[in-house]
Amino acid sequence: MNKILITPRSVTKEGGHPSLEKLRSEGYEVIFSTAGVQPDEYELLRRLPDCIGYLAGVEKISAKVLQTASNLKVISRNGVGINNVDLNAAKQLNITVCKTPGANSRGVAELAISLIFALVRSIPFSDANLKSGQWERKKGIEIYGKTLGIVGCGRIGKEVALMGLALGMKVFAYDPFANDFITYSGDFKYITFENVLKSADILSLHCPPSEDGTALLNKNTISLLKDGVYVINTARGELFDDDEILKALENNKIAGLAVDAFVKEPPGDKRLIAHKNVICTPHIGGFTTESVDKAMDEAVDNILKTLGSYKS
């Protein structure tokens, strides 16, 4: 058994990636899931049993899938999130789970900042109206002096914080594992989660979902937000209670929302996508040439190291 399954959509859509040659040069057979499509459980059940390695995207990897993959030794994510993997089942089956922290940090951070500008200046609205022959303007706000709240100040959150400071914003961050972060600015500080919500003019989420499945932004936490706040989610769709977010959009508690990640991709529920004050992108945070290259290189190396075939 020397097959390694490759499933990230950014790679299967393009028919591969140069980093995969390292696997082939070590004698492994590289196979792909359906091109450009996130594999479902049925496809994984068909493809994984013959594989010793698995370079995975964001698709759900259930205990049932892992239990049928009797030859599988390693799952290597081309990203930082591994909450899509049943980690308990992987541990019981002695399957190593690896990730590539930091590989896509810059790409996601730049998207978050881009979405802030797009929201506060109504760029998609203006573009769509002008192209349809209408001359209609929405008054925006300037972000200089505004407070950027960040929930989750890991590699991505830190990048966003530095960009926010460079743009003249005050940055308040919450992270349960907060560590030293040198910004050379008195405009950055760690505060409590509740105070981040209360203080932010713009809130950007960069954290994993809770283990118990509770939405980070639910009825109670949304009530703590400033009226007219802008919210950016480039992390995970599970961070939202969609019903409560929609209510907050309707009553202008949330002035604008930008979303790059959904519970199901592509999403079946179109209510957020269709809302006039929402900007949606199809999980493009780490979908840059640089981020994909770094993540794939590291993911391949993790497979080779785990299988004992790594050469520096």
Side-chain angles (χ1 to χ4, degrees), residues 69-302:
S70 57
N71 300 294
L72 190 63
K73 302 298 181 186
V74 56
I75 299 170
S76 184
R77 274 278 292 113
N78 71 331
V80 67
I82 55 174
N83 59 294
N84 57 313
V85 183
D86 190 316
L87 296 175
N88 289 329
K91 183 177 181 179
Q92 292 172 4
L93 295 165
N94 294 316
I95 299 171
T96 300
V97 180
C98 308
K99 53 187 177 180
T100 57
N104 66 358
S105 298
R106 185 72 187 190
V108 177
E110 288 187 4
L111 177 66
I113 295 296
S114 300
L115 290 172
I116 290 172
F117 281 116
L119 277 178
V120 304
R121 297 306 302 269
S122 302
I123 293 172
F125 168 86
S126 300
D127 176 70
N129 275 272
L130 197 54
K131 285 178 177 176
S132 66
Q134 301 177 64
W135 186 270
E136 183 178 354
R137 302 188 300 173
K138 281 188 178 181
K139 184 185 289 184
I141 64 168
E142 296 174 7
I143 65 173
Y144 184 87
K146 300 296 191 296
T147 298
L148 173 61
I150 296 176
V151 179
C153 204
R155 289 176 173 86
I156 298 170
K158 286 181 170 68
E159 292 271 12
V160 173
L162 290 172
M163 293 179 194
L165 291 169
L167 292 166
M169 305 183 79
K170 297 176 182 177
V171 181
F172 295 160
Y174 168 74
D175 193 301
F177 308 105
N179 50 26
D180 291 340
F181 178 32
I182 300 173
T183 64
Y184 302 104
S185 172
D187 287 330
F188 173 89
K189 63 180 177 179
Y190 286 112
I191 60 177
T192 66
F193 172 62
E194 290 78 11
N195 283 333
V196 168
L197 298 185
K198 292 175 181 177
S199 303
D201 299 304
I202 299 166
L203 180 69
S204 194
L205 307 180
H206 302 285
C207 57
S210 64
E211 292 185 0
D212 64 5
T214 303
L216 183 78
L217 292 185
N218 53 48
K219 182 177 181 179
N220 292 331
T221 54
I222 289 172
S223 69
L224 299 177
L225 296 171
K226 281 185 177 181
D227 291 343
V229 68
Y230 294 89
V231 178
I232 318 292
N233 181 12
T234 55
R236 289 289 184 271
E238 291 87 349
L239 296 174
F240 283 165
D241 180 324
D242 284 4
D243 291 334
E244 295 300 329
I245 287 288
L246 284 163
K247 289 178 185 177
L249 285 163
E250 288 302 318
N251 63 27
N252 294 316
K253 181 73 171 179
I254 295 176
L257 170 72
V259 187
D260 185 52
F262 303 86
V263 175
K264 181 182 178 182
E265 296 183 347
D269 187 341
K270 301 293 196 298
R271 292 177 298 164
L272 280 179
I273 295 174
H275 198 282
K276 64 180 181 179
N277 293 328
V278 176
I279 299 172
C280 293
T281 50
H283 209 139
I284 62 172
F287 194 43
T288 66
T289 298
E290 296 83 356
S291 289
V292 170
D293 287 349
K294 286 185 287 186
M296 285 298 295
D297 285 344
E298 291 181 25
V300 166
D301 286 349
N302 286 338

